[in-house]
């Protein structure tokens, strides 16, 4: 037998089994990769469903408040109409808000004059509320089939309901900023299988007759079998809208009975893995044409590193983010190992960031829940005591004052959350003009003096006779100083001293400082006190304080005050710093530009630019 046949037999004996093993391994990798890709699509759908559910919860909160007022104090409750009007005004996509009796009669509506719900639709909404014995979401398509209206109904104790109608365009606020890959979609279906929202990257128009039923009809029993009792699932089906075969992640949006889908074209999702399988087949065919030495070299220099890379990928897929592929030496395979390791480092870093965000989210939810529950419990308890009667006039006055203080605390928390929402969405604006610093400081002292006197603290001020005006927004500056004074009073000892100072600084600045003799700020936490949701610990090396550190840590708050302070000051063109005092306590200093009389400016938080609005002051 000649050398050619020997080489051919040797090549076939080595290359064919090697190619077969590689194909088997690659098929296993394909199966694992596909499962991981499917899981990623399902996780995207779950995240979208969570975002939609939380958005719905946010829309429902005002309804719960109105329902509680109606249940506790009836339709004659003071300010009920104003409460409804305020709720509608602060929610741009709300059409109206109305109170319905148990018999279906509309008792109160804001704004007035809006067309009421059709009787059949109203009866359906009330039946859903009674059936569920909880809040419900219903879709109103009586006006426009292509643009639905959300109806959110929250029951009252007497069997009625508080109902809000929302424009379906509100969904653009939730998913409008989501960047989709080519020909991918995000959709929301109501409990009847009709499309509430659909975002796609292509500009192909969608037939409104298809939107109502055909996609879920195409899913058919596959969707039911996939979801079953689970909250999410993944299926692959051709879309009736554009005929594209997509992998759909489906997830129920909690108590809303709505279904959220995220669809990614199968070609986009699976094509890289398919191309990898095809390349391997081509390499296997080429290997059959080389000599034994080429087969051995290829098997050693490619298959072995790929096997290690595969093992590393599988280890990372199992959750071992410390696994890395070999990347020593030169060549494309080692470069691939380097890129793979870089990707693994980025995944590990992202996982750490996600854990940190999850921790901050949990702490924020816990803090907000505590901040909402404690004042409401106090208000309810004192209200019950007042309803029973038998108190002296002094006791009644004390109870009512406590209720008012707790209400102010709730309002401050809501205002902070609203400001945070405006800042994050870019809707927060300040109007800059010449502001009298002395007037603002004195008004803030009047507002904060009651809290200081309640703890026997001295609230002092040090203002020079001549002080230039500052270029600022008067309301925003008042908010900043009030927040700093409130923090100083809160973290100072009983019988302590809070000092507010103002002076003309260098380089055309006006300096405002708020000093206290409280616990101070931990040295490690000092650089982070202005971060969102961060609450610093008391200084462990500061001056001795009669209050225990635990008393400072239990002070009310959710870690937004100083973040909002810094953000508002920066919008006004200034800066704010924090430092510990040598004798104990802390000092917060605000630096603002002095007013030069060159007009009034409006600053937009989203784009970070100033626009000339009104000349003069």
């Amino acid at each position: 037998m000649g050398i050619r046949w020997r080489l051919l037999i040797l090549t076939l004996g080595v290359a064919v089994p090697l190619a077969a093993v590689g194909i088997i391994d690659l098929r296993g990798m394909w199966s694992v990769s596909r499962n991981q890709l499917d899981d990623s699509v399902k996780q995207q759908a779950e995240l979208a469903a969570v975002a939609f559910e939380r958005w719905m919860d946010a829309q429902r909160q005002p309804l719960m408040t109105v329902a509680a007022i109606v249940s506790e104090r009836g339709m004659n409750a003071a300010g009920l109409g104003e409460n409804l009007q305020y709720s509608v005004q602060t929610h741009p996509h709300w059409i109206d808000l109305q109170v319905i009796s148990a018999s279906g009669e509309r008792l109160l509506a804001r704004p007035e004059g809006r067309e009421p719900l059709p009787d059949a639709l109203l009866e359906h909404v009330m039946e859903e509320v009674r059936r569920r014995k909880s809040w419900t979401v219903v879709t109103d398509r009586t006006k426009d089939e292509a643009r639905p209206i959300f109806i959110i109904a929250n029951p009252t104790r007497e069997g009625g309901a508080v109902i809000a109608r929302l424009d379906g365009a509100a969904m653009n606020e939730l998913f409008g900023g989501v960047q989709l890959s080519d020909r991918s979609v995000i959709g929301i279906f109501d409990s009847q299988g009709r499309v509430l929202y659909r975002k796609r990257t292509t500009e192909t128009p969608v037939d409104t007759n298809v939107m109502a039923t055909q996609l879920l009809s195409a899913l058919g029993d596959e969707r039911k079998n996939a979801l079953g009792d689970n909250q999410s699932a993944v299926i692959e089906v051709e879309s009736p809208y554009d005929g594209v075969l997509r992998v759909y992640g489906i997830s129920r949006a909690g108590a809303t009975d709505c279904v959220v889908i995220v669809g990614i074209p199968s070609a986009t999702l699976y094509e890289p893995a398919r191309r990898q399988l095809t390349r391997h087949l081509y390499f296997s065919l080429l290997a059959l044409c080389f000599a034994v030495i080429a087969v051995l070299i290829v098997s050693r220099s490619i298959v072995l590193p790929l096997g290690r890379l595969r093992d590393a990928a599988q280890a990372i897929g199992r959750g071992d983010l410390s696994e890395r592929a070999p990347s020593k030496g030169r060549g494309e395979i080692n470069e691939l190992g380097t890129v793979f390791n870089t990707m693994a480092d980025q995944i590990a870093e992202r996982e750490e960031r996600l854990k940190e965000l999850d921790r901050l989210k949990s702490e924020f939810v816990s803090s907000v829940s505590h901040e909402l529950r404690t004042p409401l419990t106090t208000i309810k308890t004192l209200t019950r005591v007042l309803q029973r009667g038998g108190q002296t006039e002094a006791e009644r006055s004390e109870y009512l004052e406590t209720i008012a203080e707790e209400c102010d605390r709730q309002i401050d928390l809501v205002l902070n959350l609203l400001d945070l929402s405006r800042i994050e969405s870019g809707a927060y604006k300040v109007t800059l003009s010449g502001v009298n610093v002395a007037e603002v400081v004195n008004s803030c002292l009047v507002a904060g003096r009651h809290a200081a006197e309640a703890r026997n603290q001295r609230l002092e001020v040090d203002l020079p006779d001549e002080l230039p005006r500052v270029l600022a927004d008067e309301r925003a500056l008042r908010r900043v100083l009030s927040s700093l004074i409130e923090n100083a009073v809160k973290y100072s000892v009983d019988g302590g001293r809070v000092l507010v100072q103002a002076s003309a600084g260098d380089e055309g600045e006006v300096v405002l400082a708020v000093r206290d003799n409280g616990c101070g700020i931990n040295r490690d936490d000092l650089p982070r006190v202005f971060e969102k949701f961060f609450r610093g610990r008391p200084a462990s090396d500061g001056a001795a304080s009669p209050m225990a550190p635990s008393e400072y840590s239990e002070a009310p708050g959710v870690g937004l005050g100083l973040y909002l302070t810094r953000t508002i000051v920066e919008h006004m063109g200034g800066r704010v710093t924090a430092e510990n005092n040598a004798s104990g306590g802390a000092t917060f200093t605000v630096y603002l530009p002095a007013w030069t009389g060159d007009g009034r400016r409006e600053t937009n938080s989203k784009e970070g630019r100033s626009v000339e609005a009104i000349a003069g002051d």
Side-chain angles (χ1 to χ4, degrees), residues 35-45 269:
N35 291 335
Q36 293 173 348
L37 293 171
D38 289 346
D39 288 341
S40 69
V41 176
K42 182 169 70 173
Q43 290 173 3
Q44 293 179 38
L269 194 64

Side-chain angles (χ1 to χ4, degrees), residues 81 498 549:
V498 175

